[in-house]
Amino acid sequence: MNGSLQIMLVDDEPIVGKRLKPALAKYGLEVEVFEDGPGALRRLREKEFDIVVTDVRMEDVDGMQVLEYVLANSKRTKVIIITGYATVEVAREALVKGAFDFIAKPFKPDDLRAVIDRAAKALGHPGIRKSDD
Amino acid sequence: MRFKPRGVSGDSTRIDPIHRRSRILRRFLAANSELLELMADLETDLNHLEPGESHIRQPILRLLEGSLLLAENLNLLTRDRHKALYDAQRTIEKEVRGYLSAAAPSADRPLVIPLDKASSGKVRDVGGKAARLGELRVVMSEIVPPGFVISTSAYRLFLERNNLHEQIRGLLKDLSFITERDLFRERTATVRSLVEASPVPREVAEAIANGIMQFPLPWPSHWAVRSSAVGEDGRLSFAGQFDSFLNVPRDELQDAYRKVIASRYADRAVLYRLAGGFTEVDTPMAVLFMPMLDAQSAGVLYTRDPADESADLMLINSVHGLADQLVQGRALADIFVASRSQPWKVVDQQLATRPKMLTTTVEDGGDRTAPSESCDGPSLCGEDLRLLVEIGLKIERRFGRPQDIEWVLTKEGRLMVVQARPLRTEHRPVHGGQSVEVRNALMEGGVTIFPGRTVGPAYVARTSEQLAEAPERAILVVEDATPEIGAAVPFLAGLISERGNPGGHAATLAREFGVPSLFGVEGAIDLLQTGQVLSIDATHRKVFEGALWPEVEERVEVRMRRARTGESVGPLHDWLLTLNLTDPLSVSFRASKCRSVHDIIRFAHEKVVAAVFDLGDEAVTRGQKAVRLDSKVPLGLTVMDLGGAFPKTDKPRRSLTPEEIDSRPFQALWRGIADPAVSWAGRSRVSVSGFASVMVKSVTDPYGSIRQLGERNYLIVSPEYLNLNARLAYHFAMVDAFVCEVPENNYVNFRFRGGAASAERRDLRARFLAEVLLNSKFGVNRRGDLVTGWLRRHSRNESEEGLALLGRLMACARQLDMLMDNKGALDRCVERFLEGNYQEFA
């Protein structure tokens, strides 16, 4: 698979997107950041992303709903769930609904990069490298 | 269908005895027919459903109730002469009800079972593969990876939630691979797409999640998903019949689960079940999930040489990377032959060259085939070989017999076992130390997969289509022994393949069905020609031209017959459907000998008919008792008058001509039977159910002996009524009709079910009848080989026409087996018959 990976990042804490977007862009990833579920869902209607990274706990529309929406509309998209509190229920639910993986807050940009790299490979992508490599 | 327990005693005693008798009899015959229909349905249901399910419970209870009603009616008619029938019925009912209540509803069974808890005691929940592996894991946890099983209950839940039972049954019903290959493929493909399009129920998805969550964090990201069917690895191995998926990412496990389930309906899997006599209930599907092992190399270990069990040798096949190419027969493996006993050593080795390996490097994203520089050397070295032999011996000791083991050597250098099943070996001593044949062999060499000699015509198959056409008793010649040949294997005389591994699925199947086979016979496909008669000595790896050993052909025949006959499908089948009372003349044809509902029905029918005849003697003082029908068409019929159909005479007569019988429906039927266009000439003794090679006992007839030619077949008549009943074990032909001037009262019923032929031919015969009837105003219902046709409320003329048609059909249908052997011939026969051209049937 060629071309840059299209990533959606959904987290209602603005700081998360602000920090992660530039960190991921360094790897040649095209990242769109959303701070609310409804906004993310609107965008998902327009565009198919390769990977969606979403916080699980959000107002209005939570991460599970985003996950469900994504997989109902694009089976190939990989969804990574960010959990602030890792509970068994959340994990089971995410597995049942077909999330690709989880990442627990707090995490470093590099941790997320590693998860995204795995998802990219599962998509048949050679994996991500720093674009200036 | 309902059986109202309205006893005969409810009728007024003032009623004319003739009418009373007639009514009892008609009611009895109706109930009898309904029960037979229920049994025909149940026969299919028992193959598809678990006894706990309501689909099966309801008809069983109705059958029990119906059999009690028959017993009651019989005893009312005979003034309690057959009271022992009550006891027999009670015993059967008690057994059946006990069995039903013990069959726990599947809802109570767990959906996920950790591999550690899967053992042979849970084989119905976890399937054969998982049960053996689970057992090994308990005793040798260091060599068996952990995992979990999604149980057969989950499988049933999946089918139930998606309403797949009925749909699948509908699609697979009456399917013939022989006459309608395209339709067969189309239907199985439809079933698979139905399964793949069905959502995995929430509970099952949760069960998979729970299975994953039993692993410590971080949960394994890639998994092997394998079928583990009940019955798999048992009597027959189902080798390669179901799909396994390797390197499945965690978020695609539900998809993989569905695909494994769908693979249950792959063409070859469905055919294999048919060929092996397996039923749907025998083989529900569990699915085994195990984290992927990062494989350095993998392969198959036979703890004995399958071709010669007495040799003190183990056989090891090994490839770099994963073993799936190997077991699919697509990759060549390194082959090592090692001694089993001390001092341990490799006695022979044969290294293969391979261009590719299936990588399992999880970091690489898995399922891709990539060249690897490590392919150059042997895929297994000294110390690991030795360890593998030790593991093999250990597992063999555990299960008490030679094993066929799938193993993996991880990149960390650990040897792991991912599958173990009994190895089919041939124990018989190899005849003579050397081949006694002096004549020159056409070909020599290759690897013995299953030893022995065989004779048959060669059939060279280069394409899948040709493979599907492979005739029975042929020696199949193929380029590659892929699992695709599985469906053909049971019916082959022999097998020659240019490629293919002794550790592959095809090899396992060949051993299972005892088909003498040679693999690795180079140039076979070009040298050998379809139709050329060959003799193979697989033991000595020689192929000769011509039929060298005629006695061997017989053995092939016996083997094939065995492959075709299924076994009892369990206690319910025994208590409900098995017919033990097959011979009404036998001393054991007694009420107390009834062991199944079918026995009760059979017994009651015989005795009710006899009782009605006796009653005839009592009630009609000056009338006729049963008489012989005297005609040029020698049907051997005994006719009984319900009143008014026989001429009034002073002296009882022993026989009557058809013309003397005053019965409208009979005259109409007879018009057809005696139609000059349909010839009965030249047949000195023809059974009344001429339809019916039913008179001929067949090797596939599970019901044993049946009424012999020349025994009485009953015809019961009154001026407006006719009942012709040639009832032969489970196979019967029946015409039941009432014809008068009032269309509202008129009916003609016809029912036929015949054995004494292969399933294919029975099927064709049933179709012929169904199509002719459908084209002749009859309503028709066909279930398997039971054909029911009816005319209701037709005018007198139309009803009589219908009866005449049945008469002609009886005359013609008897030749059908000889005329029809495929769909084309079937269509032609139907056409001819409907045109009124009966020449061909003469």
Side-chain angles (χ1 to χ4, degrees):
Chain A
M1 188 196 279
N2 295 312
S4 51
L5 286 165
Q6 304 294 308
I7 315 279
M8 172 186 267
L9 179 63
V10 196
D11 198 313
D12 57 359
E13 291 178 56
I15 181 69
V16 175
K18 279 205 185 91
R19 259 183 73 209
L20 290 176
K21 185 170 177 170
L24 295 174
K26 273 198 284 185
Y27 291 88
L29 304 172
E30 279 191 26
V31 185
E32 290 186 33
V33 176
F34 294 84
E35 288 170 15
D36 66 325
L41 291 187
R42 270 196 301 279
R43 182 65 178 136
L44 282 167
R45 261 174 236 135
E46 300 160 4
K47 179 175 170 182
E48 187 184 295
F49 289 84
D50 297 306
I51 297 168
V52 172
V53 184
T54 175
D55 193 5
V56 71
R57 179 179 270 184
M58 294 184 295
E59 304 244 326
D60 296 336
V61 175
D62 69 17
M64 287 302 168
Q65 286 167 283
V66 173
L67 167 64
E68 264 176 55
Y69 183 87
V70 170
L71 293 186
N73 292 283
S74 164
K75 281 196 83 175
R76 61 172 291 280
T77 303
K78 300 288 175 190
V79 181
I80 296 162
I81 301 282
I82 305 173
T83 58
Y85 50 101
T87 70
V88 173
E89 274 62 41
V90 170
R92 179 183 295 117
E93 194 59 20
L95 281 174
V96 165
K97 296 218 161 102
F100 176 75
D101 217 333
F102 315 86
I103 185 159
K105 278 182 183 175
F107 58 86
K108 298 194 183 85
D110 232 28
D111 300 332
L112 181 59
R113 188 201 55 78
V115 180
I116 289 179
D117 186 48
R118 281 207 296 276
K121 282 171 177 160
L123 285 169
H125 194 276
I128 58 175
R129 281 188 309 259
K130 272 195 180 166
S131 47
D132 53 0
D133 276 359
Chain B
M1 259 172 280
R2 217 173 296 126
F3 303 105
K4 289 193 182 141
R6 258 192 307 143
V8 182
S9 57
D11 297 337
S12 159
T13 48
R14 291 282 116 211
I15 285 180
D16 171 1
I18 292 171
H19 282 120
R20 177 164 171 263
R21 225 182 327 139
S22 152
R23 205 179 317 147
I24 296 165
L25 183 67
R26 273 163 66 180
R27 196 157 60 215
F28 181 89
L29 291 174
N32 183 64
S33 297
E34 284 168 5
L35 290 178
L36 287 170
E37 249 177 82
L38 267 180
M39 288 205 301
D41 278 354
L42 206 54
E43 200 170 26
T44 327
D45 283 336
L46 284 175
N47 286 347
H48 285 86
L49 303 173
E50 284 284 314
E53 291 176 49
S54 65
H55 274 75
I56 234 170
R57 236 169 238 268
Q58 289 313 317
I60 288 176
L61 296 179
R62 296 217 304 265
L63 209 48
L64 291 172
E65 188 189 327
S67 62
L68 179 61
L69 180 68
L70 292 193
E72 271 170 7
N73 273 328
L74 173 62
N75 277 304
L76 281 165
L77 264 175
T78 59
R79 300 193 187 106
D80 288 340
R81 210 183 298 163
H82 301 286
K83 277 180 102 167
L85 203 55
Y86 290 125
D87 296 332
Q89 200 276 345
R90 206 174 301 126
T91 308
I92 294 163
E93 176 149 0
K94 198 173 148 228
E95 295 282 5
V96 171
R97 283 184 185 274
Y99 187 84
L100 284 181
S101 58
S106 41
D108 298 348
R109 299 245 193 68
L111 301 181
V112 59
I113 298 167
L115 189 57
D116 310 55
K117 299 274 185 315
S119 61
S120 54
K122 290 205 181 104
V123 72
R124 287 206 72 81
D125 293 316
V126 301
K129 186 182 290 173
R132 322 190 121 255
L133 216 48
E135 218 164 301
L136 274 187
R137 178 148 168 84
V138 171
V139 289
M140 294 176 228
S141 61
E142 70 291 351
I143 58 155
V144 179
F148 63 90
V149 186
I150 296 302
S151 69
T152 51
S153 300
Y155 167 77
R156 282 189 282 272
L157 190 68
F158 176 79
L159 292 192
E160 201 179 297
R161 281 294 158 74
N162 293 296
N163 266 327
L164 289 172
H165 264 312
E166 288 300 315
Q167 295 182 67
I168 291 174
R169 275 176 62 177
L171 284 163
L172 297 185
K173 185 178 138 188
D174 300 338
L175 257 196
S176 159
F177 185 68
I178 308 287
T179 54
E180 298 158 313
R181 272 161 217 230
D182 292 341
L183 186 65
F184 183 93
R185 293 209 183 92
E186 201 181 291
R187 295 277 184 81
T188 49
T190 310
V191 172
R192 289 194 299 277
S193 49
L194 268 177
V195 170
E196 287 184 29
S198 299
V200 174
R202 167 87 201 180
E203 295 91 326
V204 178
E206 267 181 26
I208 296 174
N210 289 335
I212 298 169
M213 291 169 71
Q214 287 167 6
F215 283 78
L217 283 164
W219 298 318
S221 61
H222 286 75
W223 295 73
V225 184
R226 297 162 183 269
S227 64
S228 179
V230 174
E232 186 175 306
D233 294 0
R235 181 159 63 95
L236 297 174
S237 75
F238 286 84
Q241 299 306 315
F242 304 124
D243 288 341
S244 291
F245 296 90
L246 302 181
N247 273 327
V248 181
R250 198 172 51 215
D251 59 329
E252 290 169 21
L253 288 179
Q254 293 177 29
D255 264 344
Y257 173 75
R258 232 181 342 221
K259 282 187 189 145
V260 171
I261 299 290
S263 74
R264 189 167 189 278
Y265 298 97
D267 289 353
R268 56 187 154 97
V270 174
L271 281 172
Y272 188 80
R273 284 200 291 276
L274 292 177
F278 274 89
T279 64
E280 299 293 316
V281 170
D282 286 332
T283 58
M285 188 81 118
V287 179
L288 171 62
F289 293 72
M290 292 169 104
M292 279 309 291
L293 297 170
D294 213 354
Q296 186 182 128
S297 54
V300 175
L301 159 70
Y302 289 165
T303 61
R304 289 271 181 188
D305 180 351
D308 182 7
E309 200 184 344
S310 58
D312 192 39
L313 298 172
M314 280 201 187
L315 225 60
I316 298 160
N317 292 306
S318 166
V319 291
H320 288 282
L322 288 183
D324 74 327
Q325 294 288 305
L326 164 69
V327 293
Q328 294 288 325
R330 295 194 192 284
L332 278 177
D334 295 337
I335 300 174
F336 304 93
V337 182
S339 61
R340 290 166 48 93
S341 47
Q342 301 285 351
W344 175 86
K345 64 172 190 273
V346 172
V347 295
D348 192 12
Q349 70 176 44
Q350 219 176 298
L351 300 184
T353 47
R354 296 154 308 272
K356 287 173 169 183
M357 66 183 270
L358 181 60
T359 65
T360 59
T361 322
V362 170
E363 289 74 46
D364 282 353
D367 203 337
R368 280 175 297 130
T369 304
S372 161
E373 61 274 23
S374 62
C375 289
D376 298 330
S379 52
L380 206 54
C381 309
E383 178 60 11
D384 290 326
L385 273 167
R386 192 188 59 77
L387 268 173
L388 202 50
V389 171
E390 273 178 14
I391 288 174
L393 289 172
K394 239 195 240 176
I395 296 177
E396 187 185 282
R397 269 199 300 277
R398 171 76 198 171
F399 289 123
R401 55 176 297 187
Q403 297 289 306
D404 166 348
I405 296 163
E406 228 176 287
W407 56 268
V408 172
L409 177 63
T410 68
K411 291 215 167 115
E412 297 84 52
R414 287 179 68 193
L415 270 170
M416 304 294 271
V417 169
V418 292
Q419 178 165 327
R421 62 176 173 225
L423 174 67
R424 298 264 161 166
T425 56
E426 185 63 355
H427 200 53
R428 70 172 175 228
V430 188
H431 30 239
Q434 56 193 21
S435 175
V436 291
E437 296 310 324
V438 285
R439 110 164 41 192
N440 285 337
L442 205 56
M443 306 193 78
E444 276 187 70
V447 184
T448 301
I449 300 303
F450 191 83
R453 295 178 301 165
T454 188
V455 177
Y459 179 82
V460 181
R462 291 170 197 271
T463 64
S464 310
E465 284 69 36
Q466 288 173 341
L467 183 60
E469 306 276 331
E472 285 188 9
R473 266 161 260 173
I475 291 176
L476 180 65
V477 183
V478 289
E479 202 176 334
D480 198 353
T482 60
E484 225 187 335
I485 68 169
V489 165
F491 302 108
L492 292 179
L495 173 61
I496 297 175
S497 177
E498 293 197 1
R499 287 206 302 280
N501 266 291
H505 292 318
T508 308
L509 290 174
R511 279 193 285 277
E512 205 145 63
F513 287 101
V515 179
S517 305
L518 289 175
F519 283 9
V521 185
E522 276 174 41
I525 200 151
D526 289 323
L527 184 72
L528 303 176
Q529 282 160 14
T530 295
Q532 182 180 21
V533 175
L534 300 177
S535 299
I536 304 180
D537 181 345
T539 315
H540 299 100
R541 300 187 289 280
K542 285 182 180 176
V543 180
F544 302 93
E545 190 164 17
L548 297 191
W549 317 290
E551 77 279 7
V552 169
E553 288 170 75
E554 206 173 302
R555 216 179 300 149
V556 173
E557 192 62 40
V558 170
R559 175 168 58 73
M560 250 165 302
R561 208 153 55 214
R562 215 178 299 141
R564 251 186 244 112
T565 13
E567 289 172 6
S568 159
V569 290
L572 277 183
H573 192 278
D574 293 344
W575 289 320
L576 299 170
L577 306 180
T578 304
L579 184 68
N580 309 297
L581 298 192
T582 50
D583 180 9
L585 301 177
S586 144
V587 285
S588 61
F589 196 88
R590 294 209 306 259
S592 60
K593 297 282 182 191
C594 288
R595 301 262 172 274
S596 69
V597 166
H598 195 169
D599 286 340
I600 293 178
I601 295 174
R602 177 78 180 86
F603 179 83
H605 182 272
E606 191 73 25
K607 294 301 174 193
V608 160
V609 171
V612 168
F613 275 59
D614 292 348
L615 282 179
D617 296 341
E618 289 173 27
V620 190
T621 45
R622 286 185 56 228
Q624 296 288 348
K625 63 188 278 186
V627 302
R628 207 177 62 241
L629 187 71
D630 188 12
S631 109
K632 280 181 190 152
V633 183
L635 290 178
L637 271 179
T638 301
V639 193
M640 198 209 129
D641 183 14
L642 281 176
F646 286 1
K648 291 201 167 74
T649 52
D650 294 331
K651 230 173 76 184
R653 287 172 54 184
R654 283 169 178 265
S655 69
L656 285 173
T657 63
E659 295 72 30
E660 289 177 286
I661 295 173
D662 180 10
S663 165
R664 264 178 210 157
F666 171 78
Q667 288 302 333
L669 183 72
W670 194 256
R671 205 167 70 227
I673 289 176
D675 187 331
V678 298
S679 162
W680 293 81
R683 298 173 206 159
S684 55
R685 291 189 75 99
V686 181
S687 76
V688 68
S689 56
F691 288 55
S693 12
V694 285
M695 296 297 188
V696 184
K697 187 177 182 308
S698 95
V699 286
T700 56
D701 175 11
Y703 298 106
S705 81
I706 50 182
R707 198 179 291 183
Q708 294 301 306
L709 207 67
E711 267 179 58
R712 288 196 303 184
N713 282 300
Y714 298 113
L715 174 65
I716 298 163
V717 289
S718 79
E720 294 169 327
Y721 177 71
L722 155 90
N723 181 275
L724 170 67
N725 212 310
R727 178 138 177 6
L728 303 145
Y730 211 176
H731 316 296
F732 58 92
M734 186 275 281
V735 181
D736 189 65
F738 188 88
V739 181
C740 68
E741 297 298 343
V742 188
E744 277 308 297
N745 293 342
N746 291 348
Y747 69 82
V748 177
N749 286 333
F750 167 72
R751 202 183 293 274
F752 177 78
R753 181 172 183 170
S758 69
E760 291 297 337
R761 285 185 188 260
R762 283 209 303 267
D763 187 65
L764 283 169
R765 187 162 51 194
R767 282 182 206 209
F768 170 81
L769 294 172
E771 287 194 26
V772 166
L773 291 172
L774 262 179
N775 282 293
S776 315
K777 292 188 182 168
F778 276 80
V780 177
N781 184 6
R782 180 165 83 90
R783 263 172 268 163
D785 57 357
L786 172 72
V787 179
T788 311
W790 62 88
L791 292 175
R792 298 248 192 294
R793 299 184 191 88
H794 280 261
S795 68
R796 176 184 160 184
N797 268 348
E798 283 171 337
S799 304
E800 289 180 353
E801 271 315 303
L803 281 161
L805 176 104
L806 293 179
R808 289 194 297 274
L809 207 47
M810 286 168 69
C812 292
R814 131 177 217 287
Q815 294 296 328
L816 283 179
D817 283 355
M818 272 173 269
L819 293 175
M820 293 193 304
D821 52 7
N822 59 52
K823 179 80 169 64
L826 165 79
D827 293 341
R828 199 187 61 236
C829 285
V830 170
E831 210 171 288
R832 294 281 151 81
F833 186 89
L834 292 172
E835 285 166 7
N837 178 354
Y838 311 117
Q839 299 280 320
E840 204 161 323
F841 303 95

